[in-house]
Amino acid sequence: MRKDHRKPDTPATNSRQMFQNIYSRLIFRCSFLISLGVTPIDRYDFKSQLLSWYTQNKRDLPFRDTGDAYKIWLSEIMLQQTTVATVIDYYTRFVSYFPNVLAVAKADEDQLLNLWQGLGYYSRIRNFKKACDYISRELDGKIPQSAAALKELPGVGDYTAAAIASIAYGEAVATIDGNVKRVIARLFCYKKEITSREATEFFNQKAAELLDKKAPGDFNQAMMELGATVCMPKNPKCQTCPVGEFCESRGKNPESLPVKAKTKYIDTHYKALVVKTTDGLLLKRPSSTSLIKNMWEIPCLYQSEAIGDMIAKAFKTKTSETLQITALGSVRHAITNKRITTAIFATNPNQRLIKRLNKKDFEFVAFDDLSRLTLNTLSKKILKHIDKTAP
Ligand code: SF4
C-alpha cells in the first residue's frame, strides 16, 4: 500500500484551497467560453434549467407528446402565422378526417381546403397535399427521417424540417422560429436588425451552440415555449423566467429586442361586385388569374378597372352600362405588407342577363351553402358587411 506523505490540512489551508479551486474553475470556464466568442452562459445549467421548467410547465396541447412525424408536421404548418388557440380545433378535426399521409394523398384538394378554411395562407395546405402525394407515390408512404431529406418536400423549409427531425426522430438540429430568435436576441442582448444576413448567422450559431444534443426535440420545444409563454414580445415575465440569470438584457428594456426594421406597407385599392339574385350570391370560381389566387371569391378587381367590365365578363354581355350600380361602403384587409381597401358595389341584373351567366368562371351560390366553399378572407369580410338575404 502506497504511503500518503501529504501533511494533514489545517482549517486555514482548507478554505484557501477551496477558494483557489473555485476561482480557477471560474477563470477556466469564462476563458473557455470567451475564447469561443460567446457570452459566458453556462450551457449545462442553462439547458437543465430550461428543460426542467419545460417538463413542469409545458402547455397540454393535442399535438404535443406524440412521436408521429405526420402529426408533428401537420401541427407545425398549421402553427405558421396562426396562434396555438386557433390551431387546436383545426388540428383535432383535420387529424380525425385524415390521420396519416396516405389519407391526405387519397383526398381531394377541395376536402382539405374546406377543413383549412379560416386558417388562411392556403398555399400551406396545397403544399402539404403535394408533399403527401409525393411520399405516397415515391417513398412508399414513409416520411423522410432527416432534416436534409425533409427539406426536399414541397412547403417544408428549414424550420419545419428541423422541428419534425428533432421531435419525431431525435436529430440534433435546432429549430429557429420567431420565438427562438426573440429569446436568443434577448439572452445575448443582440442588437442587429433581425432579418439581416449577420443576424441570421448569429441566430443559427447560437441556437446550435445552446441545443441540448441529448434531448433536441424537448429542448427545441422548450425554447419555443419559453418565447410563447414567458419571453413574449410585450411584457416578458423576467421575474419568473427560468433562465433569467443567464439573460444579458434582463432589466435593460428587453422589449426593445429583437431589433426590427419598420414594415413598409403598400396601400392597395380593390373593388368588389356584389350580385344577389333568388339563386344566391354571385361568386367567381377559384382561378389563378384572380386577385387572391385559387380561392372562391366575391368578384374583385383593381380600382383602375371598370365594374362594367366585370359585369360583362360574368354575364357575357356588353350592355353593363344599362345596369344601376350602388356603392355599399368599403372594408379594410391586410395581407403581409399589403393594406387593402376594397370599395363594395352592388347591382341587380335582369333575368335576361342572368340567363347569360358565364358558368365556366362564375356561379350563383345560395347563402346557406356558402360554408361548403373555401372563400378567401377578403370575401368573408365583405360578406359580413352586406345583407345576406336574397332580394
Ligand atoms: Fe426573456 Fe426576460 Fe427571460 Fe431574458 S429574463 S429570456 S428577457 S423573459
Side-chain angles (χ1 to χ4, degrees), residues 243-287:
V243 291
E245 68 185 273
F246 306 101
C247 180
E248 284 188 45
S249 62
R250 181 155 78 161
K252 297 180 198 161
N253 189 19
E255 271 190 24
S256 65
L257 298 172
V259 173
K260 287 183 182 171
K262 255 193 157 183
T263 310
K264 285 186 190 133
Y265 286 103
I266 302 165
D267 285 316
T268 310
H269 295 269
Y270 292 167
K271 289 173 187 166
L273 176 65
V274 173
V275 182
K276 290 192 293 179
T277 68
T278 47
D279 290 335
L281 179 70
L282 181 72
L283 293 183
K284 190 163 182 289
R285 295 181 189 282
S287 151

Side-chain angles (χ1 to χ4, degrees), residues 12-30:
T13 53
N14 253 343
S15 53
R16 194 168 55 244
Q17 268 176 356
M18 247 171 64
F19 175 76
Q20 280 170 345
N21 276 344
I22 291 169
Y23 181 73
S24 57
R25 277 168 57 195
L26 199 65
I27 291 292
F28 173 77
R29 177 176 284 173
C30 288

